Amino acid sequence: DAKTTQPNSMESNEEEPVHLPCNHSTISGTDYIHWYRQLPSQGPEYVIHGLTSNVNNRMASLAIAEDRKSSTLILHRATLRDAAVYYCILRAGGTSYGKLTFGQGTILTVHP
Amino acid sequence: NAGVMQNPRHLVRRRGQEARLRCSPMKGHSHVYWYRQLPEEGLKFMVYLQKENIIDESGMPKERFSAEFPKEGPSILRIQQVVRGDSAAYFCASSPDGRLTGELFFGEGSRLTVL
């Protein structure tokens, strides 16, 4: 599986935007980019996913570089509830099941 | 609409005992995946099951661990003769079919402590 690299931790203030980067220089043309987050003592929660184009949903936006070697998860207005570990995951397009490879992720701290 | 339900949420076992963890997928989901999260580590895929079938068990330890998803009832992850290294959080996820539609739905996990 192609590897992703994320900063170990990031900090933000409440109600400010947060940009969480992810590098995936060995991504292949059919790899999807998925983001999950895990709040303390809970299971992972889906955030967003994309292939080539930028994506928006009610939780976040995903900005994908033109060469697809990096992407950024954007939380438009951080809240205290957004404090979590954020995982950037590549999933091969040919796979047909939920065999995701979680890395260490980025620990996001949100200050009031 | 209930999400993925796991029980027990917390389980304490002594070395050598058996642990059984249950997972009821979301309504309408027939694909179940088990993950393990060791302390201070990321989640690791263990096994993928469809009703009455094991599709991929490449992440399962070769001994003591088994999983099933019967035609009726929850999926069960069974750990025989537990050891301290089995202490971890075990998460179950489900999806409606074998192709990822975009998201896996995870339960809140079962935390196993082996004394």
Side-chain angles (χ1 to χ4, degrees):
Chain A
D1 291 335
K3 183 178 168 58
T4 63
T5 303
Q6 300 178 252
N8 290 332
S9 62
M10 292 186 65
E11 296 186 15
S12 173
N13 294 317
E14 204 174 6
E15 298 193 5
E16 290 184 354
V18 181
H19 291 234
L20 297 164
C22 181
N23 288 319
H24 28 78
S25 58
T26 60
I27 191 171
S28 73
T30 57
D31 284 345
Y32 285 81
I33 303 162
H34 290 250
W35 284 81
Y36 280 77
R37 71 180 185 182
Q38 187 174 20
L39 279 66
S41 300
Q42 294 191 27
E45 176 186 29
Y46 169 83
V47 178
I48 202 166
H49 81 287
L51 182 61
T52 56
S53 302
N54 295 342
V55 185
N56 300 295
N57 66 20
R58 63 177 179 80
M59 288 183 69
S61 296
L62 177 59
I64 301 173
E66 196 169 335
D67 63 6
R68 300 187 73 233
K69 294 184 184 299
S70 66
S71 60
T72 302
L73 178 70
I74 303 167
L75 307 179
H76 296 285
R77 288 184 66 193
T79 68
L80 295 178
R81 195 193 171 278
D82 292 323
V85 181
Y86 286 79
Y87 299 98
C88 171
I89 302 165
L90 299 184
R91 177 182 68 86
T95 58
S96 60
Y97 44 82
K99 188 177 177 180
L100 300 176
T101 301
F102 287 79
Q104 293 302 309
T106 297
I107 300 171
L108 175 65
T109 301
V110 180
H111 299 289
Chain B
N1 184 17
V4 177
M5 304 299 293
Q6 291 189 246
N7 69 81
R9 292 292 310 280
H10 299 275
L11 183 63
V12 178
R13 286 288 180 265
R14 297 191 180 279
R15 281 178 297 170
Q17 292 184 320
E18 179 179 286
R20 285 191 180 220
L21 310 177
R22 297 173 189 78
C23 169
S24 296
M26 286 185 70
K27 187 176 180 180
H29 288 195
S30 59
H31 295 248
V32 164
Y33 317 84
W34 285 92
Y35 284 77
R36 177 167 68 172
Q37 187 170 33
L38 294 168
E40 307 304 322
E41 293 190 18
L43 284 87
K44 305 293 184 191
F45 167 83
M46 298 181 74
V47 63
Y48 161 44
L49 309 106
Q50 202 178 344
K51 285 282 188 180
E52 300 185 282
N53 286 306
I54 296 175
I55 308 301
D56 183 339
E57 56 182 348
S58 59
M60 287 278 271
K62 294 289 185 273
E63 298 177 347
R64 302 187 297 107
F65 285 72
S66 62
E68 63 176 6
F69 189 16
K71 186 176 180 181
E72 302 290 338
S75 175
I76 296 175
L77 180 67
R78 181 183 179 202
I79 311 172
Q80 295 178 289
Q81 299 176 328
V82 297
V83 301
R84 288 218 174 103
D86 297 332
S87 295
Y90 292 83
F91 293 96
C92 170
S94 73
S95 68
D97 51 40
R99 291 184 182 275
L100 278 182
T101 58
E103 61 182 299
L104 281 179
F105 296 85
F106 282 85
E108 295 195 344
S110 292
R111 282 153 182 83
L112 172 65
T113 300
V114 179
L115 301 178

